[in-house]
Amino acid sequence: YRPSRRRTGCGAAHVDDRGLSVALKLVFLGRLEDTAGTAELLIDLPKPQSLAQLFARLDGAVGAALAGERVKLALNGALVGYRPDLMVSDGDELAFLPPVSGG
C-alpha cells in the first residue's frame, strides 16, 4: 500500500496559517470500505491524538470493526501494529487493510 499524495474533498478539513488544508486522512480498503460507507474520510485534528481517542470519535460499528487485531494499519505507507497509544496528527494518512483469507 502506498499513501496518496493528493487531498480529496471527501470530508471537512480546516485551513492552517498558510492557507493549506490539513486533516487526518483515513483510507478504508476492501470490505472495510463497505463497513465505513466510504473509501476515504478526512478528520479534522486540532492536536495529535492516540488511536484509542481516534476510534472513540468514529461511529461505533466502524470503530469496532477497525479495532480488531486482524485489521492491519498503515500509517503514512508503513505497516504498524495496533497500539492504542500510537499517535496520529494532521497531515497523516492512516489506511485500514482488511483481514486476508485464503487457503
Side-chain angles (χ1 to χ4, degrees):
Y1 172 76
R2 289 189 205 187
S4 64
R5 297 288 182 223
R6 61 186 170 84
R7 295 255 179 235
T8 60
C10 57
H14 71 273
V15 176
D16 71 5
D17 296 345
R18 299 163 297 188
L20 300 174
S21 177
V22 290
L24 170 66
K25 182 177 182 180
L26 303 181
V27 178
F28 305 100
L29 302 173
R31 68 176 176 80
L32 297 175
E33 179 179 344
D34 294 333
T35 303
T38 185
E40 297 178 349
L41 180 65
L42 295 179
I43 295 183
D44 184 28
L45 288 182
K47 63 180 183 173
Q49 291 188 353
S50 69
L51 282 184
Q53 291 170 317
L54 172 65
F55 283 19
R57 292 180 60 176
L58 298 175
D59 177 78
V62 174
L66 299 177
E69 289 182 15
R70 295 176 35 135
V71 174
K72 303 298 180 201
L73 306 176
L75 180 60
N76 299 321
L79 287 175
V80 295
Y82 175 78
R83 293 190 343 253
D85 62 339
L86 180 68
M87 301 300 288
V88 293
S89 302
D90 271 337
D92 284 345
E93 181 175 281
L94 184 61
F96 298 93
L97 295 81
V100 177
S101 63

